[in-house]
Amino acid sequence: MASCHKSVTVIEGTVTKLLYDGNCIVGVEYTTSGVFCKKVVKAPLTIVADGCFSKLRKALVTEAVCVPSYFSGLLLEDCPQFQWNHAEIVLGDPSPILVYKISPKHTRVLVDTPGLLQKDIKGYMLEKILPQLPAHLRDSFRAALYSERVRSMPNSFLPASHAEKTGVILLGDALNMRHPLTGSGMSVALNDVLYWRNALRSLADLTDHAAVLAALRKFHIRRKNSHSFAVNVLAQALYALFAGDDEELMCLRKACFAYFKLGGICVSGPMGLLSVLSPRPITLICHFFAVAMYAVWCCLLSEPVWAVHRSLRKAYFTFKKACCVLFPLIWSELKPISFF
């Protein structure tokens, strides 16, 4: 729709670098397909949205990208579903496996591999992952392993930070990344775009860097009070629970599913967060600690009365682990962002 507007000119090319005028970004240098000479386009405001593999981000922010794991994916053909029109999460060893339809014929399987990417990924999937899959997936998964290429991508984590230049805005995965377990990255990006659509309408002059910087401050405050906080913290916290292998994280994982089974607000609240329809930070914190307290209760009931000291110790360390998971993630979202 934007390309049809008379004031929009669409240029397809590959940006090779940003153009500077002192500490200000004034445009980009790019190349087009089949043309070897480099071209330049200038503007008072440049929006960088070149994804998780952003080449331009390094010149703008100092925050390092953390890669705790990788997704290795396969496309399965004519694979039956456990329940029609529903995705599946297999809580495998050592980490979760996502299964979901992308067309009537094809089903995508994403296998999370913690740490470094496996060198023999097909062998790893055949020996380690295949036996853990539900029976209705195994035949299609085995066939895809022998016929398809396994594609891998990093599961990156990057808290949002402000570009250390004027005349530029970062959006999408170039700005902020979280584990794709919840599949909410586009929801965050589109909410960010919605803010800037309204903000840019109110800016009379894009060369007024003070006004753009004021809008940028409001942008970071607003997203941390809503969708950014909820999605980023939820994705990383769920991954910690689903990929954890110590006793406390296993206890929290069981309590999480038991909590969902209670129904009512115990399901509707988390689903509102996952869908980004009601991404309130206080809702996330309340539900997280409700799960933590439910885990404590389960710990207290797990031992006979004469072993109450053992159940208290288990409950204490389980609650402590919940705090160790959540509080660093909250800090990564709420820590002050430096604006020059």
Side-chain angles (χ1 to χ4, degrees), residues 208-297:
D208 184 353
H209 297 309
V212 174
L213 187 60
L216 194 57
R217 287 195 182 98
K218 290 180 182 178
F219 167 65
H220 281 284
I221 292 171
R222 178 180 170 181
R223 73 194 304 273
K224 287 178 182 294
N225 287 329
S226 59
H227 58 280
S228 165
F229 182 103
V231 171
N232 293 343
V233 173
L234 180 63
Q236 296 302 125
L238 282 179
Y239 180 70
L241 262 60
F242 291 167
D245 57 359
D246 61 44
E247 184 181 1
E248 292 80 16
L249 287 174
M250 293 290 285
C251 184
L252 287 166
R253 182 196 298 182
K254 291 178 182 177
C256 180
F257 287 104
Y259 183 76
F260 291 158
K261 289 180 181 179
L262 295 176
I265 194 172
C266 299
V267 172
S268 62
M271 291 305 107
L273 294 166
L274 280 168
S275 61
V276 204
L277 293 176
S278 55
R280 298 175 61 226
I282 191 64
T283 300
L284 170 61
I285 293 171
C286 287
H287 281 290
F288 187 90
F289 278 110
V291 169
M293 293 308 299
Y294 198 78
V296 166
W297 176 248

Coordinates of all heavy atoms in Angstrom, one line a residue, residues 208-297:
D208 N 15.0 18.5 12.9 CA 15.0 18.9 14.3 C 15.3 17.7 15.1 O 14.4 17.0 15.6 CB 13.6 19.5 14.6 CG 13.6 20.1 16.0 OD1 14.6 19.9 16.8 OD2 12.5 20.6 16.4
H209 N 16.6 17.5 15.3 CA 17.1 16.3 16.0 C 16.6 16.3 17.5 O 16.4 15.2 18.1 CB 18.6 16.2 16.0 CG 19.1 16.0 14.6 ND1 18.6 15.1 13.7 CD2 20.1 16.7 13.9 CE1 19.2 15.1 12.6 NE2 20.1 16.1 12.6
A210 N 16.4 17.5 18.1 CA 16.0 17.5 19.5 C 14.5 16.9 19.6 O 14.2 16.2 20.5 CB 16.0 18.9 20.0
A211 N 13.7 17.3 18.6 CA 12.3 16.8 18.6 C 12.3 15.3 18.4 O 11.5 14.5 19.0 CB 11.5 17.5 17.6
V212 N 13.1 14.8 17.4 CA 13.2 13.4 17.1 C 13.7 12.6 18.4 O 13.2 11.5 18.7 CB 14.1 13.1 15.9 CG1 14.3 11.6 15.7 CG2 13.5 13.7 14.7
L213 N 14.7 13.2 19.1 CA 15.2 12.5 20.2 C 14.2 12.5 21.4 O 14.1 11.5 22.1 CB 16.5 13.3 20.7 CG 17.3 12.7 21.9 CD1 17.8 11.3 21.5 CD2 18.4 13.6 22.3
A214 N 13.4 13.5 21.5 CA 12.3 13.5 22.5 C 11.3 12.4 22.2 O 10.8 11.7 23.1 CB 11.6 14.9 22.5
A215 N 11.0 12.2 20.9 CA 10.1 11.1 20.5 C 10.7 9.8 20.7 O 10.0 8.8 21.1 CB 9.7 11.3 19.0
L216 N 12.0 9.7 20.5 CA 12.7 8.4 20.8 C 12.7 8.1 22.3 O 12.5 6.9 22.6 CB 14.2 8.6 20.3 CG 15.0 7.3 20.1 CD1 14.3 6.3 19.2 CD2 16.4 7.6 19.6
R217 N 12.8 9.1 23.1 CA 12.8 8.8 24.6 C 11.4 8.3 24.9 O 11.3 7.3 25.7 CB 13.0 10.1 25.4 CG 14.5 10.5 25.4 CD 14.7 11.6 26.4 NE 16.1 12.0 26.4 CZ 16.6 13.1 25.9 NH1 15.7 13.9 25.2 NH2 17.8 13.5 25.9
K218 N 10.3 8.9 24.4 CA 9.0 8.4 24.7 C 8.7 7.0 24.2 O 8.1 6.2 24.8 CB 8.0 9.4 24.0 CG 7.9 10.8 24.7 CD 6.9 11.6 24.0 CE 6.8 13.0 24.6 NZ 5.9 13.9 23.9
F219 N 9.4 6.7 23.0 CA 9.2 5.4 22.4 C 9.8 4.3 23.3 O 9.1 3.3 23.6 CB 10.0 5.4 21.1 CG 10.3 4.1 20.5 CD1 9.2 3.3 20.0 CD2 11.6 3.6 20.3 CE1 9.4 2.0 19.5 CE2 11.8 2.4 19.7 CZ 10.7 1.6 19.3
H220 N 11.0 4.5 23.8 CA 11.6 3.5 24.7 C 10.8 3.4 26.0 O 10.7 2.3 26.5 CB 13.1 3.9 25.0 CG 14.0 3.5 23.9 ND1 14.4 2.2 23.6 CD2 14.6 4.3 22.9 CE1 15.2 2.2 22.5 NE2 15.3 3.4 22.1
I221 N 10.3 4.5 26.6 CA 9.6 4.4 27.8 C 8.3 3.7 27.6 O 7.9 2.8 28.4 CB 9.3 5.8 28.4 CG1 10.6 6.5 28.8 CG2 8.3 5.8 29.5 CD1 10.5 7.9 29.2
R222 N 7.6 4.0 26.5 CA 6.3 3.4 26.2 C 6.4 1.8 25.9 O 5.6 1.1 26.5 CB 5.7 4.0 24.9 CG 4.3 3.4 24.6 CD 3.7 4.0 23.4 NE 2.6 3.3 22.9 CZ 1.8 3.6 21.9 NH1 2.1 4.7 21.2 NH2 0.8 2.8 21.5
R223 N 7.4 1.4 25.1 CA 7.5 0.0 24.8 C 7.9 -0.8 26.1 O 7.6 -2.0 26.2 CB 8.5 -0.2 23.6 CG 10.0 0.0 23.9 CD 10.8 0.1 22.7 NE 10.6 -1.1 21.8 CZ 11.3 -2.2 21.9 NH1 12.2 -2.3 22.8 NH2 11.1 -3.2 21.1
K224 N 8.7 -0.2 27.0 CA 9.1 -0.9 28.2 C 7.9 -1.0 29.2 O 7.9 -1.8 30.1 CB 10.2 -0.2 28.9 CG 11.6 -0.3 28.1 CD 12.7 0.4 28.8 CE 14.0 0.3 28.1 NZ 14.5 -1.1 28.1
N225 N 6.9 -0.2 29.0 CA 5.7 -0.2 29.8 C 4.6 -1.1 29.2 O 3.5 -1.2 29.8 CB 5.1 1.2 30.1 CG 6.0 2.0 31.0 OD1 6.6 1.4 31.9 ND2 6.1 3.3 30.9
S226 N 4.9 -1.7 28.1 CA 3.9 -2.5 27.5 C 4.4 -3.8 26.8 O 5.0 -4.7 27.4 CB 3.1 -1.7 26.5 OG 3.9 -1.1 25.5
H227 N 4.4 -3.8 25.4 CA 4.6 -5.0 24.7 C 6.1 -5.5 24.7 O 6.3 -6.7 24.8 CB 4.2 -4.8 23.2 CG 4.9 -3.7 22.5 ND1 4.6 -2.3 22.7 CD2 6.0 -3.6 21.7 CE1 5.4 -1.6 22.0 NE2 6.3 -2.3 21.4
S228 N 7.0 -4.6 24.7 CA 8.4 -5.0 24.8 C 8.8 -5.7 26.0 O 9.3 -6.8 26.0 CB 9.3 -3.7 24.6 OG 10.7 -4.0 25.0
F229 N 8.4 -5.2 27.2 CA 8.7 -5.8 28.5 C 8.0 -7.2 28.5 O 8.7 -8.2 28.8 CB 8.1 -4.9 29.6 CG 8.4 -5.5 31.0 CD1 9.4 -4.9 31.7 CD2 7.6 -6.5 31.5 CE1 9.7 -5.4 33.0 CE2 7.9 -7.0 32.8 CZ 8.9 -6.5 33.5
A230 N 6.7 -7.2 28.2 CA 6.0 -8.5 28.3 C 6.5 -9.6 27.4 O 6.7 -10.7 27.9 CB 4.5 -8.3 28.0
V231 N 6.7 -9.3 26.2 CA 7.2 -10.3 25.2 C 8.6 -10.8 25.5 O 8.9 -12.0 25.5 CB 7.0 -9.8 23.8 CG1 7.7 -10.8 22.8 CG2 5.6 -9.6 23.4
N232 N 9.5 -9.8 25.7 CA 10.9 -10.2 25.9 C 11.1 -11.0 27.2 O 11.8 -12.0 27.2 CB 11.8 -8.9 26.0 CG 11.8 -8.1 24.7 OD1 11.5 -8.7 23.6 ND2 12.2 -6.9 24.7
V233 N 10.5 -10.5 28.3 CA 10.7 -11.3 29.6 C 10.0 -12.6 29.5 O 10.6 -13.6 29.9 CB 10.1 -10.4 30.7 CG1 10.2 -11.2 32.0 CG2 11.0 -9.1 30.9
L234 N 8.8 -12.7 28.9 CA 8.1 -13.9 28.8 C 8.8 -15.0 28.0 O 9.0 -16.1 28.4 CB 6.7 -13.7 28.2 CG 5.8 -14.9 28.1 CD1 5.5 -15.6 29.4 CD2 4.5 -14.6 27.3
A235 N 9.4 -14.5 26.8 CA 10.1 -15.5 25.9 C 11.3 -16.0 26.6 O 11.5 -17.3 26.6 CB 10.4 -14.8 24.6
Q236 N 12.1 -15.2 27.2 CA 13.3 -15.7 27.9 C 13.0 -16.5 29.1 O 13.7 -17.5 29.4 CB 14.2 -14.5 28.3 CG 14.7 -13.7 27.1 CD 15.5 -14.5 26.1 OE1 15.2 -14.5 24.9 NE2 16.6 -15.2 26.6
A237 N 12.0 -16.1 29.9 CA 11.6 -16.9 31.1 C 11.1 -18.3 30.7 O 11.5 -19.3 31.3 CB 10.6 -16.1 31.9
L238 N 10.3 -18.4 29.7 CA 9.7 -19.7 29.3 C 10.8 -20.6 28.7 O 10.8 -21.8 29.0 CB 8.6 -19.5 28.2 CG 7.3 -19.0 28.7 CD1 6.3 -18.9 27.5 CD2 6.7 -20.0 29.7
Y239 N 11.8 -20.0 28.0 CA 12.9 -20.8 27.5 C 13.7 -21.3 28.6 O 14.1 -22.5 28.6 CB 13.7 -20.0 26.5 CG 14.9 -20.8 26.0 CD1 14.6 -21.9 25.1 CD2 16.2 -20.6 26.4 CE1 15.7 -22.7 24.6 CE2 17.2 -21.4 25.9 CZ 17.0 -22.4 25.1 OH 18.0 -23.2 24.6
A240 N 13.9 -20.5 29.7 CA 14.7 -20.9 30.8 C 14.0 -22.1 31.5 O 14.7 -23.1 31.9 CB 14.9 -19.8 31.8
L241 N 12.7 -22.0 31.6 CA 11.9 -23.1 32.2 C 11.9 -24.4 31.4 O 12.2 -25.5 31.9 CB 10.5 -22.7 32.5 CG 10.2 -22.2 33.9 CD1 11.0 -21.0 34.3 CD2 8.7 -21.9 34.0
F242 N 11.7 -24.2 30.1 CA 11.6 -25.4 29.2 C 12.9 -26.1 28.8 O 12.9 -27.2 28.5 CB 10.8 -25.0 27.9 CG 9.4 -24.6 28.1 CD1 8.7 -24.0 27.1 CD2 8.7 -24.9 29.3 CE1 7.3 -23.7 27.3 CE2 7.4 -24.6 29.5 CZ 6.7 -24.0 28.5
A243 N 14.0 -25.3 28.9 CA 15.3 -25.8 28.6 C 16.1 -26.2 29.8 O 17.2 -26.7 29.7 CB 16.1 -24.9 27.7
G244 N 15.6 -25.9 31.0 CA 16.3 -26.1 32.2 C 16.4 -27.6 32.6 O 15.4 -28.3 32.3
D245 N 17.5 -28.0 33.2 CA 17.6 -29.4 33.5 C 17.9 -29.6 35.0 O 18.1 -30.8 35.4 CB 18.7 -30.1 32.7 CG 20.1 -29.4 32.9 OD1 20.1 -28.4 33.6 OD2 21.0 -29.9 32.3
D246 N 17.9 -28.6 35.8 CA 18.1 -28.8 37.2 C 16.8 -29.0 37.9 O 15.7 -28.8 37.4 CB 18.9 -27.6 37.9 CG 18.2 -26.3 37.8 OD1 17.0 -26.3 38.0 OD2 18.8 -25.3 37.5
E247 N 16.8 -29.5 39.2 CA 15.6 -29.9 39.9 C 14.6 -28.7 40.1 O 13.4 -28.9 39.9 CB 16.0 -30.4 41.3 CG 14.9 -31.0 42.1 CD 15.3 -31.5 43.5 OE1 16.5 -31.4 43.8 OE2 14.4 -32.0 44.2
E248 N 15.1 -27.5 40.4 CA 14.3 -26.4 40.7 C 13.5 -26.0 39.4 O 12.3 -25.7 39.4 CB 15.1 -25.2 41.2 CG 15.6 -25.5 42.6 CD 16.9 -26.3 42.6 OE1 17.5 -26.4 41.5 OE2 17.3 -26.8 43.7
L249 N 14.2 -25.9 38.3 CA 13.6 -25.5 37.0 C 12.6 -26.6 36.6 O 11.5 -26.2 36.0 CB 14.6 -25.3 35.9 CG 15.4 -24.0 36.0 CD1 16.5 -23.9 35.0 CD2 14.5 -22.8 35.9
M250 N 12.9 -27.9 36.8 CA 11.9 -28.9 36.5 C 10.6 -28.8 37.3 O 9.5 -29.0 36.8 CB 12.5 -30.3 36.7 CG 13.7 -30.6 35.8 SD 13.1 -30.9 34.1 CE 12.4 -32.5 34.2
C251 N 10.8 -28.4 38.6 CA 9.7 -28.2 39.5 C 8.8 -27.0 39.0 O 7.6 -27.1 39.0 CB 10.2 -27.9 40.9 SG 8.9 -27.8 42.1
L252 N 9.5 -25.9 38.6 CA 8.8 -24.8 38.1 C 8.1 -25.1 36.8 O 7.0 -24.6 36.5 CB 9.8 -23.6 37.8 CG 10.3 -22.9 39.1 CD1 11.5 -22.0 38.8 CD2 9.2 -22.1 39.7
R253 N 8.7 -25.9 35.9 CA 8.0 -26.3 34.7 C 6.8 -27.1 34.9 O 5.7 -26.8 34.3 CB 9.0 -27.2 33.8 CG 8.4 -27.6 32.5 CD 9.2 -28.7 31.9 NE 10.6 -28.4 31.6 CZ 11.5 -29.2 31.0 NH1 11.1 -30.4 30.7 NH2 12.7 -28.8 30.8
K254 N 6.8 -28.1 35.9 CA 5.6 -28.8 36.2 C 4.5 -27.9 36.8 O 3.4 -28.1 36.5 CB 6.0 -29.9 37.2 CG 6.9 -31.0 36.6 CD 7.2 -32.1 37.6 CE 8.2 -33.1 37.1 NZ 8.6 -34.1 38.1
A255 N 4.9 -27.0 37.6 CA 4.0 -26.1 38.2 C 3.3 -25.2 37.2 O 2.2 -24.9 37.3 CB 4.7 -25.3 39.3
C256 N 4.1 -24.8 36.2 CA 3.6 -24.0 35.1 C 2.4 -24.7 34.4 O 1.4 -24.1 34.2 CB 4.7 -23.7 34.1 SG 4.2 -22.6 32.7
F257 N 2.6 -25.9 34.0 CA 1.5 -26.7 33.3 C 0.4 -27.0 34.3 O -0.8 -26.9 33.8 CB 2.1 -27.9 32.7 CG 2.9 -27.7 31.5 CD1 4.3 -27.8 31.5 CD2 2.3 -27.3 30.3 CE1 5.1 -27.5 30.4 CE2 3.1 -27.1 29.2 CZ 4.5 -27.2 29.2
A258 N 0.7 -27.3 35.5 CA -0.4 -27.5 36.5 C -1.2 -26.2 36.7 O -2.4 -26.2 36.8 CB 0.2 -27.9 37.8
Y259 N -0.5 -25.1 36.6 CA -1.2 -23.8 36.8 C -2.1 -23.5 35.6 O -3.3 -23.1 35.8 CB -0.1 -22.7 36.8 CG -0.6 -21.3 37.0 CD1 -1.1 -20.8 38.3 CD2 -0.6 -20.4 36.0 CE1 -1.5 -19.5 38.5 CE2 -1.1 -19.1 36.2 CZ -1.5 -18.7 37.4 OH -1.9 -17.4 37.6
F260 N -1.7 -23.9 34.4 CA -2.6 -23.7 33.2 C -3.8 -24.6 33.3 O -4.9 -24.2 32.9 CB -1.8 -24.1 31.9 CG -0.7 -23.2 31.5 CD1 0.3 -23.6 30.7 CD2 -0.7 -21.8 32.0 CE1 1.4 -22.7 30.3 CE2 0.3 -21.0 31.6 CZ 1.3 -21.4 30.8
K261 N -3.7 -25.8 33.9 CA -4.8 -26.7 34.0 C -5.9 -26.2 35.0 O -7.0 -26.7 35.0 CB -4.3 -28.1 34.5 CG -3.5 -28.8 33.4 CD -3.0 -30.2 34.0 CE -2.2 -30.9 32.9 NZ -1.8 -32.2 33.4
L262 N -5.5 -25.2 35.8 CA -6.5 -24.6 36.7 C -7.6 -23.9 35.9 O -8.7 -23.6 36.4 CB -5.9 -23.7 37.7 CG -4.9 -24.3 38.7 CD1 -4.2 -23.2 39.5 CD2 -5.6 -25.3 39.6
G263 N -7.3 -23.5 34.7 CA -8.2 -22.8 33.8 C -8.5 -21.4 34.2 O -7.8 -20.8 35.1
G264 N -9.5 -20.8 33.6 CA -9.9 -19.4 33.9 C -8.8 -18.4 33.7 O -8.2 -18.5 32.6
I265 N -8.6 -17.5 34.6 CA -7.6 -16.5 34.4 C -6.2 -17.1 34.4 O -5.3 -16.4 33.9 CB -7.7 -15.4 35.6 CG1 -6.9 -14.2 35.2 CG2 -7.3 -16.0 36.9 CD1 -7.1 -13.0 36.2
C266 N -6.0 -18.3 34.9 CA -4.7 -18.9 34.9 C -4.3 -19.3 33.5 O -3.1 -19.6 33.2 CB -4.7 -20.2 35.8 SG -5.0 -19.8 37.5
V267 N -5.3 -19.3 32.6 CA -5.0 -19.6 31.1 C -5.2 -18.3 30.3 O -4.3 -17.9 29.5 CB -5.9 -20.7 30.6 CG1 -5.8 -20.8 29.1 CG2 -5.6 -22.0 31.2
S268 N -6.3 -17.6 30.6 CA -6.5 -16.4 29.8 C -5.5 -15.3 30.0 O -5.1 -14.6 29.0 CB -7.9 -15.8 30.1 OG -8.0 -15.4 31.5
G269 N -4.9 -15.1 31.2 CA -3.9 -14.2 31.4 C -2.6 -14.4 30.7 O -2.2 -13.6 29.9
P270 N -2.0 -15.6 30.8 CA -0.8 -16.0 30.0 C -1.1 -15.9 28.5 O -0.2 -15.5 27.7 CB -0.5 -17.4 30.5 CG -1.0 -17.4 31.9 CD -2.3 -16.6 31.9
M271 N -2.3 -16.3 28.0 CA -2.6 -16.3 26.6 C -2.6 -14.9 26.1 O -2.2 -14.6 25.0 CB -3.9 -17.0 26.3 CG -3.8 -18.5 26.5 SD -2.5 -19.3 25.6 CE -1.3 -19.7 26.9
G272 N -3.1 -14.0 26.9 CA -3.2 -12.6 26.5 C -1.8 -12.0 26.4 O -1.5 -11.1 25.5
L273 N -0.8 -12.5 27.2 CA 0.6 -12.1 27.1 C 1.2 -12.7 25.9 O 1.9 -12.0 25.1 CB 1.3 -12.5 28.4 CG 0.9 -11.8 29.7 CD1 1.5 -12.6 30.9 CD2 1.4 -10.4 29.7
L274 N 1.0 -14.0 25.6 CA 1.6 -14.7 24.5 C 1.1 -14.1 23.2 O 1.9 -14.0 22.2 CB 1.3 -16.2 24.5 CG 2.1 -17.0 25.5 CD1 1.5 -18.4 25.6 CD2 3.5 -17.2 25.0
S275 N -0.1 -13.7 23.1 CA -0.7 -13.2 21.9 C -0.4 -11.7 21.7 O -0.7 -11.1 20.7 CB -2.2 -13.4 21.8 OG -2.8 -12.8 22.9
V276 N 0.1 -11.1 22.7 CA 0.4 -9.6 22.8 C -0.9 -8.8 22.6 O -0.9 -7.7 22.2 CB 1.4 -9.2 21.7 CG1 2.2 -7.9 22.1 CG2 2.5 -10.3 21.5
L277 N -2.0 -9.4 23.1 CA -3.3 -8.6 23.1 C -3.5 -7.8 24.4 O -4.1 -6.8 24.4 CB -4.5 -9.6 22.9 CG -4.5 -10.3 21.5 CD1 -5.6 -11.3 21.5 CD2 -4.7 -9.3 20.4
S278 N -2.9 -8.3 25.4 CA -2.9 -7.6 26.7 C -1.5 -7.7 27.4 O -1.4 -8.4 28.4 CB -4.0 -8.1 27.6 OG -3.9 -9.5 27.8
P279 N -0.5 -7.0 26.8 CA 0.9 -7.2 27.3 C 1.2 -6.3 28.4 O 2.1 -5.4 28.3 CB 1.7 -6.8 26.0 CG 0.8 -5.8 25.3 CD -0.6 -6.2 25.6
R280 N 0.6 -6.4 29.5 CA 0.8 -5.6 30.7 C 1.9 -6.2 31.5 O 1.8 -7.3 32.0 CB -0.4 -5.3 31.5 CG -1.6 -4.6 30.7 CD -2.8 -4.6 31.6 NE -2.6 -3.8 32.8 CZ -3.0 -4.2 34.0 NH1 -3.7 -5.3 34.1 NH2 -2.8 -3.4 35.0
P281 N 3.0 -5.4 31.8 CA 4.1 -6.0 32.6 C 3.6 -6.5 34.0 O 4.1 -7.6 34.4 CB 5.0 -4.8 32.8 CG 4.8 -4.0 31.6 CD 3.3 -4.1 31.3
I282 N 2.7 -5.8 34.7 CA 2.3 -6.3 36.0 C 1.5 -7.6 35.9 O 1.6 -8.4 36.8 CB 1.4 -5.2 36.7 CG1 1.1 -5.5 38.1 CG2 0.1 -5.0 35.9 CD1 2.4 -5.5 39.0
T283 N 0.8 -7.8 34.8 CA 0.2 -9.1 34.6 C 1.2 -10.2 34.5 O 1.0 -11.3 35.0 CB -0.7 -9.1 33.3 OG1 -1.7 -8.0 33.4 CG2 -1.4 -10.4 33.0
L284 N 2.2 -10.0 33.7 CA 3.3 -11.0 33.6 C 3.9 -11.3 34.9 O 4.1 -12.5 35.3 CB 4.4 -10.5 32.6 CG 5.6 -11.3 32.5 CD1 5.3 -12.7 32.0 CD2 6.6 -10.7 31.6
I285 N 4.3 -10.3 35.7 CA 5.0 -10.5 37.0 C 4.0 -11.3 37.9 O 4.5 -12.2 38.6 CB 5.4 -9.2 37.5 CG1 6.5 -8.5 36.7 CG2 5.9 -9.3 39.0 CD1 6.9 -7.1 37.0
C286 N 2.8 -10.9 37.9 CA 1.8 -11.6 38.8 C 1.7 -13.0 38.5 O 1.7 -13.9 39.4 CB 0.5 -10.8 38.8 SG 0.4 -9.2 39.6
H287 N 1.5 -13.3 37.2 CA 1.3 -14.7 36.8 C 2.6 -15.5 37.0 O 2.6 -16.7 37.4 CB 0.9 -14.8 35.4 CG -0.5 -14.6 35.1 ND1 -1.5 -15.4 35.5 CD2 -1.2 -13.5 34.6 CE1 -2.7 -14.9 35.2 NE2 -2.5 -13.8 34.6
F288 N 3.8 -14.9 36.8 CA 5.0 -15.6 37.0 C 5.2 -16.0 38.5 O 5.5 -17.2 38.8 CB 6.2 -14.8 36.6 CG 7.5 -15.5 36.6 CD1 8.0 -16.2 35.5 CD2 8.3 -15.5 37.8 CE1 9.2 -16.9 35.6 CE2 9.5 -16.2 37.8 CZ 10.0 -16.9 36.7
F289 N 4.9 -15.1 39.4 CA 5.1 -15.4 40.8 C 3.9 -16.3 41.3 O 4.1 -17.0 42.3 CB 5.2 -14.1 41.6 CG 6.6 -13.6 41.6 CD1 6.9 -12.4 41.0 CD2 7.6 -14.3 42.3 CE1 8.2 -11.9 40.9 CE2 8.9 -13.8 42.2 CZ 9.2 -12.7 41.6
A290 N 2.8 -16.2 40.6 CA 1.7 -17.2 41.0 C 2.2 -18.6 40.7 O 1.9 -19.5 41.4 CB 0.4 -16.8 40.2
V291 N 2.8 -18.8 39.5 CA 3.4 -20.1 39.2 C 4.5 -20.5 40.2 O 4.5 -21.6 40.6 CB 4.0 -20.1 37.8 CG1 4.8 -21.3 37.5 CG2 2.9 -19.9 36.7
A292 N 5.3 -19.5 40.6 CA 6.4 -19.8 41.6 C 5.8 -20.2 42.9 O 6.3 -21.2 43.5 CB 7.3 -18.6 41.7
M293 N 4.7 -19.6 43.4 CA 4.1 -19.9 44.6 C 3.4 -21.3 44.5 O 3.3 -22.0 45.5 CB 3.1 -18.8 45.1 CG 3.8 -17.5 45.4 SD 5.1 -17.7 46.7 CE 4.2 -18.4 48.1
Y294 N 2.8 -21.5 43.3 CA 2.2 -22.8 43.1 C 3.3 -23.9 43.2 O 3.0 -25.0 43.7 CB 1.5 -22.9 41.8 CG 0.5 -24.0 41.6 CD1 -0.8 -23.9 42.2 CD2 0.8 -25.1 40.9 CE1 -1.7 -24.9 42.0 CE2 -0.1 -26.1 40.7 CZ -1.4 -26.0 41.3 OH -2.3 -27.0 41.2
A295 N 4.4 -23.6 42.6 CA 5.6 -24.6 42.7 C 6.0 -24.8 44.2 O 6.3 -26.0 44.6 CB 6.7 -24.1 41.9
V296 N 6.0 -23.7 44.9 CA 6.4 -23.9 46.4 C 5.3 -24.7 47.1 O 5.7 -25.6 47.9 CB 6.4 -22.4 47.0 CG1 6.4 -22.5 48.5 CG2 7.6 -21.7 46.5
W297 N 4.1 -24.5 46.8 CA 3.0 -25.3 47.4 C 3.2 -26.8 47.0 O 3.0 -27.7 47.9 CB 1.6 -24.8 46.9 CG 0.5 -25.6 47.4 CD1 -0.4 -26.4 46.7 CD2 0.0 -25.7 48.8 NE1 -1.3 -26.9 47.4 CE2 -1.1 -26.6 48.8 CE3 0.4 -25.2 50.0 CZ2 -1.8 -26.9 49.9 CZ3 -0.3 -25.5 51.1 CH2 -1.4 -26.3 51.1

